[in-house]
Amino acid sequence: MTSSIEPYTISVPDNKLQRLAQKLEVTELPDELDDAGWDYGAPLADVKRLVAYWKDKYDWREQESKINKLPNFKTPIQIDGFETLDIHFIFQKSDIQSAIPLLFCHGWPGSFLEVTKLLPLLAASDKNTPAFHIVAPSIPNFGFSSGTKRKGFSLPQYAETCHKLMLKLGYTQYVTQGGDWGCMITRIMGLLYPQHVKASHINMVRGHRPTLIINPILTAQHAVTPYSERDKRGIDRSQWLLKEGSGYRLQQGTKPQTLGYALTDSPVGLLAWIYEKLHDWTDAYPWTDDEILAWVSVYYFSTAGPAASLRIYYEALHDINFGRERSETWIPHVKLGQAHFPKEITVVPKTWARTMGPVVFESEYESGGHFAAWERPDAIAGDLKKMFGKGGGGFRCVEGQNGFEQSSNPKL
C-alpha cells in the first residue's frame, strides 16, 4: 500500500463514554397514548428497554474490539473544491490475486458495519464462484471518516471520494454494490467515471414508469404486462412509506441543522430516530439490542457527529444536476444488477426498474428489506457471485480481474 494509507484502530475516548453514561442516567422520556403501537413512532416500552440496556449492560468496548479485528484503514483524500478528508474504510483483500475489486457503499442510517456479514462470504473462490477484494468506506460525514465544513458537498463529491479511494488502492477498474445512499452514490460514480466503474449491483431500485419517448420498448412491455401480485404489494408498500414514513426525509432534506441539535445532544433521541427506521424498513428482521445499539453508537461516536450525516439529504435535494432523481434514471455504459426485496422502502415493477440502465442481472426474493446486506447477506453475496461469475452478465467486466484466474494485480 502507499504510505498515506495506514491501519486504523477505533478508540472512543473514555470521556465520551462517561458523558454518554451521564446523559443516559438523567433521561426523561415522554408519555404515550394507549395502544399506540408503532403508529406514532418508536414505542415507549421498546425505547425504555433499550435505554436501560444501553445504560446498564451494553459494552461498547466489546463492540469496538470486534470492529478492530477487521482490516480497518484510514487515508486522506482531497476532494476538488473542498478540503482533504480522512476516510476510514474496511479493506479485505482476497488471497486470490485476480479477485474482483468491489466497492461496498452504505447509506443512512447504515454504516460500514453492513459489509461485515458479507466479508466471509465473498473472499474465497472456487471453480464456480469468483472472489472479491472488498473496500467498504465510512462515506464522508459518517462513521469514522471526517466531515466537510463547506456547503454543496453532494452526490458527485461522495462519488469522487469513493472513486479516488479505489484509485489510491490501485484499482483503475472495479465494480460496486450499494443500497440507500450507497445506491445513489455508486450510480453517480457510474455516470461520472464509466471507464472505471464497470458494473453496479443495487438493492434499492428506484426506477420510474417507462415513457414512450425515452423507453419505447419498455413502454410497450409495460403496456401489455399486467401488474403481478408482487407489483401490487410493492405499490402498496411504497405508498404506505410515502404517506406514513417519509417525514424524516423532508426534515433532513430541508432543515437538517435544526434536527441535528437534538440528535447530537440526546443519545436517546438519536436512538429512537434510528430505531424507528430499523423497524419500519426491514422485513420483520429480529434485531437484537446489541445490534441496534452498535448501529446507533457508530452515529453517536462518529468523527463528524450525528448531525453531519443528515446533510446529504439537503445537498442531494438541492442539487439540480446530480441529485437523487438523476441517479434513478438511465445511466449508460455501466452494467447493472438489481435485487428486488419485498420490504424495500420503494418497490417498483421490473419494467420500471429497467429504465435505470443496461440491466444484465435481476433477482427477486420472498423476504428481505432495506438493509439487505445485513438482513439477507446470503442473497447479496449470492447475487454478486452469480452476476460476476462464469456465465453472469458481469463476468470478465474488469480487465484481468475475473475472480478466478491468477493474473497480475496492481501493486499496493
Side-chain angles (χ1 to χ4, degrees):
M1 291 187 186
T2 64
S3 59
S4 62
I5 299 175
E6 299 181 351
Y8 178 67
T9 300
I10 296 167
S11 181
V12 173
D14 287 337
N15 67 328
K16 287 193 174 183
L17 290 171
Q18 293 165 1
R19 181 62 171 160
L20 170 61
Q22 293 169 355
K23 285 177 173 286
L24 294 174
E25 190 66 40
V26 296
T27 296
E28 292 188 32
L29 296 173
D31 66 351
E32 182 181 56
L33 298 178
D34 295 339
D35 303 316
W38 280 93
D39 292 346
Y40 291 76
L44 179 59
D46 285 19
V47 175
K48 279 184 176 179
R49 183 194 76 249
L50 287 163
V51 170
Y53 187 76
W54 203 358
K55 180 170 67 75
D56 300 326
K57 296 182 179 180
Y58 180 69
D59 188 346
W60 166 255
R61 291 301 186 204
E62 180 180 350
Q63 177 65 45
E64 192 177 66
S65 177
K66 291 179 181 178
I67 296 173
N68 284 329
K69 291 178 182 178
L70 301 172
N72 290 276
F73 297 89
K74 237 183 188 183
T75 192
I77 293 181
Q78 171 66 52
I79 310 304
D80 293 345
F82 292 82
E83 62 268 65
T84 296
L85 301 178
D86 289 326
I87 301 301
H88 159 254
F89 61 101
I90 302 291
F91 179 31
Q92 178 176 278
K93 196 165 186 282
S94 173
D95 292 335
I96 306 300
Q97 190 177 24
S98 58
I100 303 165
L102 169 69
L103 173 79
F104 176 92
C105 194
H106 70 83
W108 184 92
S111 71
F112 70 94
L113 289 179
E114 292 177 81
V115 81
T116 57
K117 291 185 178 183
L118 295 176
L119 296 179
L121 302 178
L122 295 176
S125 171
D126 57 38
K127 64 179 182 180
N128 296 314
T129 58
F132 297 83
H133 299 309
I134 303 174
V135 181
S138 294
I139 61 175
N141 300 308
F142 287 74
F144 300 104
S145 291
S146 59
T148 182
K149 294 297 184 182
R150 302 179 187 177
K151 294 173 63 176
F153 198 99
S154 190
L155 296 184
Q157 286 69 45
Y158 286 93
E160 180 185 344
T161 304
C162 293
H163 174 58
K164 285 184 173 179
L165 174 61
M166 295 302 282
L167 294 182
K168 201 168 190 178
L169 291 171
Y171 300 126
T172 57
Q173 293 185 4
Y174 53 89
V175 302
T176 69
Q177 202 290 318
D180 196 83
W181 286 113
C183 165
M184 301 177 196
I185 291 168
T186 56
R187 294 275 293 161
I188 297 300
M189 291 176 71
L191 181 66
L192 298 177
Y193 312 108
Q195 69 273 33
H196 299 279
V197 182
K198 308 310 292 185
S200 292
H201 179 278
I202 60 174
N203 56 270
M204 186 177 76
V205 183
R206 301 291 290 268
H208 298 277
R209 184 192 301 270
T211 60
L212 187 60
I213 296 176
I214 301 176
N215 316 103
I217 296 176
L218 286 174
T219 301
Q221 292 175 349
H222 180 69
V224 299
T225 305
Y227 286 136
S228 66
E229 288 303 313
R230 171 209 171 264
D231 294 337
K232 294 175 183 177
R233 290 192 299 270
I235 292 171
D236 289 343
R237 167 73 172 170
S238 302
Q239 291 178 342
W240 181 83
L241 260 296
L242 184 64
K243 180 181 178 182
E244 300 290 347
S246 62
Y248 80 96
R249 189 175 66 197
L250 293 174
Q251 180 66 37
Q252 294 178 185
T254 55
K255 302 295 180 183
Q257 185 68 20
T258 304
L259 177 61
Y261 295 113
L263 301 189
T264 301
D265 184 63
S266 172
V268 177
L270 179 66
L271 165 63
W273 193 251
I274 291 178
Y275 176 52
E276 175 196 295
K277 307 303 179 287
L278 301 187
H279 172 272
D280 284 359
W281 294 0
T282 53
D283 191 3
Y285 178 77
W287 292 98
T288 67
D289 290 353
D290 282 292
E291 285 178 310
I292 295 165
L293 293 174
W295 280 47
V296 174
S297 294
V298 166
Y299 278 83
Y300 189 73
F301 295 129
S302 61
T303 300
S309 68
L310 309 179
R311 296 172 188 143
I312 188 172
Y313 286 84
Y314 181 95
E315 302 296 358
L317 178 66
H318 292 81
D319 187 339
I320 61 174
N321 295 315
F322 297 101
R324 189 184 74 181
E325 291 76 12
R326 183 63 188 91
S327 74
E328 298 171 356
T329 57
W330 184 268
I331 293 176
H333 310 305
V334 180
K335 295 180 178 181
L336 183 60
Q338 299 175 329
H340 297 269
F341 293 93
K343 293 298 183 179
E344 181 53 86
I345 58 176
T346 300
V347 183
V348 300
K350 289 181 181 178
T351 50
W352 296 26
R354 292 167 190 156
T355 65
M356 298 180 74
V359 175
V360 300
F361 178 87
E362 292 176 315
S363 62
E364 181 180 329
Y365 294 95
E366 294 298 318
S367 65
H370 185 64
F371 305 106
W374 193 259
E375 296 177 70
R376 295 292 312 274
D378 59 318
I380 297 299
D383 276 12
L384 293 170
K385 290 177 179 180
K386 293 174 186 175
M387 179 175 173
F388 297 107
K390 296 175 181 178
F395 182 53
R396 293 185 184 275
C397 65
V398 177
E399 294 178 9
Q401 304 285 138
N402 66 12
F404 296 96
E405 300 168 1
Q406 295 295 323
S407 63
S408 60
N409 197 45
K411 186 177 181 180
L412 301 180

